[in-house]
Amino acid sequence: MAVLSADQVAGLAATGASCRVDEAVAPKFSVGDHVVVRNINPSGHTRLPRYVRGKRGVVDRDHGVFVFPDTNAHIEGEKPQHVYSVRFTPRELWGGDASERDSVYIDMWDDYIDPTE
Amino acid sequence: MAKHDHDHEHTAPPSDPALRVKALESLLLEKGLIDAAALDEIIDTYENKIGPRNGAAVVARAWVDADYKKRLLDDATAAIAELGFSGVQGEDMVVVENLPGLHNMVVCTLCSCYPWPTLGLPPVWYKAAPYRSRAVSDPRSVLDEFGVTLADDVEIRVWDSNAELRYLVLPERPDGTDGMSEDQLAAMVTRDSMIGTGLVQAP
């Protein structure tokens, strides 16, 4: 196995490894779409925070196509798909008299959300 | 250790996590899986070479150059790379701009995701459960505890970097700094102001 050497560190740190995929995958959602987060509870790796599961939000921007970590982390394929910034109100997330003006923006893969309305 | 009375001092053993890291490091070195010089280089890189001064340079440039600011907000990764800051944990950047009546702050509720090329490694509190949970559920109180007291009508946007995007806040340029050079402006920009848990104050 090749071991990282000191002279490789600077180049590696400056390059990184993007999970963005240069592939023409059709987006399932558009900016402005109302969505609901799937209430799933994977036993393996996921990047879907529990506090948004089952909550309703609005697609704010499309970040492009990225590797899907839930499958990729388990060597089950990259399953590239769009990632969107989805806006949620604190009232939707926390109920009660939480603010409706403030927002929490979370990045959601296509497979985390369903259409609503 | 049993309590006993005499006049020499004992050296306290390192904390459990520190001991665990030392044990892992020794094993990895013994098995030839890591190179000690490479490890030193990584630590030196993120302790001394890459840190929030990089992000401050980005902010100052955006304050003095409207075209740069537009590029930064349109395609942050490319605009930040113009200044030479790119790489691990900065591959896909988003910059969010504070404006009068609008305040942005960044958290990673899942772990500690953070834009390394512009801010370096995250502070301990950024990785701690209280910040990670309360930044999304009660951001106004968290900001208050950081000394950032916002008027009730200021909108707060919290960005959870749960996925592959890394966020940097473009703080508001303070009043009374019109005559300052780009370097002088950069010197005012704090790490916390680029996470959104601080404001930039004129000296």
Side-chain angles (χ1 to χ4, degrees), chain B residues 186-199:
Chain B
M188 297 190 311
V189 178
T190 61
R191 176 196 67 197
D192 287 5
S193 74
M194 296 180 279
I195 303 173
T197 52
L199 302 174

Side-chain angles (χ1 to χ4, degrees), chain B residues 145-195:
Chain B
E145 289 164 27
F146 274 94
V148 178
T149 304
L150 300 176
D152 287 345
D153 60 352
V154 173
E155 177 188 347
I156 299 175
R157 294 182 181 172
V158 181
W159 301 83
D160 188 347
S161 42
N162 61 306
E164 312 297 0
L165 289 306
R166 297 291 169 264
Y167 293 89
L168 185 77
V169 174
L170 176 58
E172 278 191 273
R173 179 173 174 167
D175 291 335
T177 58
D178 287 354
M180 292 176 73
S181 71
E182 197 174 327
D183 285 346
Q184 287 173 317
L185 290 168
M188 297 190 311
V189 178
T190 61
R191 176 196 67 197
D192 287 5
S193 74
M194 296 180 279
I195 303 173

